[in-house]
Amino acid sequence: MSNNMSFFSGFQPHDLLFMAEAAGQTLLISVLSISTGTVFGIIFGWMLQSGNWVVRAILGTVLDVFRSVPLLIQLVLFFNFFPIMGWPLEPFAAGTFVLSLYTASLVAQVARGGIEAVGKPMRRAARSLGMSYWQDMRYVVWPIGLRAVFPAWVGVALGVMKDSALVSVLGYVELLRASQILITRTQEPFIILAVAGAFYFVLSYPLSKYSQKLEERWAS
């Protein structure tokens, strides 16, 4: 009877499929969080720029909390807070909720900067042409302002996509969590982390490339 028994197996082709499925979960939670957070971030940015001082003070303080507290702490606190209140959340729902708020807190400052990038003379000119406030915002401020801050938004989106790895602490099996599982089983961290890095690149590169082409089109 052989005593050479292996408790670990090497990296197998089906492990690559497992990581690909986990990468799909990373993409799903990232797209939902970035899109939802962007919508609310634009609204919050407008409120920070156009609201009265009470709105700016309260909203600014709340958003500062989400920007300042480490995302890992936010995830753990929210995931454990809702069950205490009698509303248990699945890791995916909790992660999406927190990542959306975190994204909104970052995009709010980007959106406010975009609004402020449009000079007052241009806005006065729009109003002098008979545009209402909302027409001014729709046809002048947003097209010019959002173009000005688009690179900053891309940076936020790429950062949130990478930060989605922190949702693994809640038990959500995304790319990093899947990598940890495979490393424990295969004891081949270099190969697995290299593959995980390649997946993150594949997820991030299209957005980066598309944004570059879009900026070139706007500049031409």
Side-chain angles (χ1 to χ4, degrees):
M1 182 175 180
S2 175
N3 293 323
N4 297 325
M5 183 179 296
S6 176
F7 293 95
F8 305 104
S9 60
F11 190 73
Q12 303 294 327
H14 62 81
D15 294 330
L16 186 62
L17 178 60
F18 176 59
M19 294 187 70
E21 293 174 349
Q25 295 301 313
T26 293
L27 181 62
L28 176 61
I29 196 171
S30 298
V31 169
L32 287 176
S33 301
I34 292 169
S35 57
T36 303
T38 297
V39 171
F40 282 98
I42 292 175
I43 296 173
F44 294 156
W46 169 73
M47 294 172 65
L48 288 173
Q49 200 279 331
S50 304
N52 58 48
W53 70 270
V54 177
V55 172
R56 293 197 301 269
I58 296 175
L59 182 59
T61 300
V62 173
L63 295 179
D64 282 340
V65 170
F66 283 100
R67 282 199 308 273
S68 303
V69 177
L71 183 57
L72 181 61
I73 295 177
Q74 295 182 41
L75 287 165
V76 174
L77 288 179
F78 272 84
F79 186 62
N80 290 280
F81 173 76
F82 281 99
I84 294 175
M85 300 297 294
W87 306 320
L89 290 179
E90 294 294 325
F92 176 79
T96 303
F97 181 75
V98 175
L99 281 175
S100 297
L101 289 176
Y102 178 69
T103 304
S105 68
L106 298 176
V107 173
Q109 297 301 324
V110 173
R112 183 175 69 170
I115 296 174
E116 294 176 348
V118 182
K120 291 184 179 179
M122 186 176 295
R123 299 194 65 180
R124 284 197 294 266
R127 301 300 290 273
S128 68
L129 292 174
M131 289 187 179
S132 66
Y133 173 82
W134 293 111
Q135 288 175 325
D136 172 33
M137 293 294 294
R138 178 179 178 182
Y139 296 109
V140 178
V141 175
W142 289 124
I144 297 175
L146 293 183
R147 285 186 182 186
V149 298
F150 182 71
W153 176 85
V154 172
V156 170
L158 292 175
V160 171
M161 184 175 293
K162 290 181 288 187
D163 289 338
S164 66
L166 297 175
V167 183
S168 62
V169 302
L170 307 183
Y172 179 66
V173 183
E174 44 68 67
L175 188 53
L176 181 61
R177 180 66 174 174
S179 301
Q180 293 171 337
I181 293 172
L182 292 178
I183 289 173
T184 301
R185 200 204 74 213
T186 65
Q187 298 296 297
E188 295 180 350
F190 180 80
I191 295 176
I192 293 172
L193 291 179
V195 173
F199 272 117
Y200 276 115
F201 174 78
V202 170
L203 294 177
S204 303
Y205 183 74
L207 176 60
S208 178
K209 194 65 176 179
Y210 175 74
S211 65
Q212 181 181 354
K213 289 185 177 180
L214 196 58
E215 289 178 54
E216 292 175 354
R217 185 186 307 172
W218 287 340
S220 61

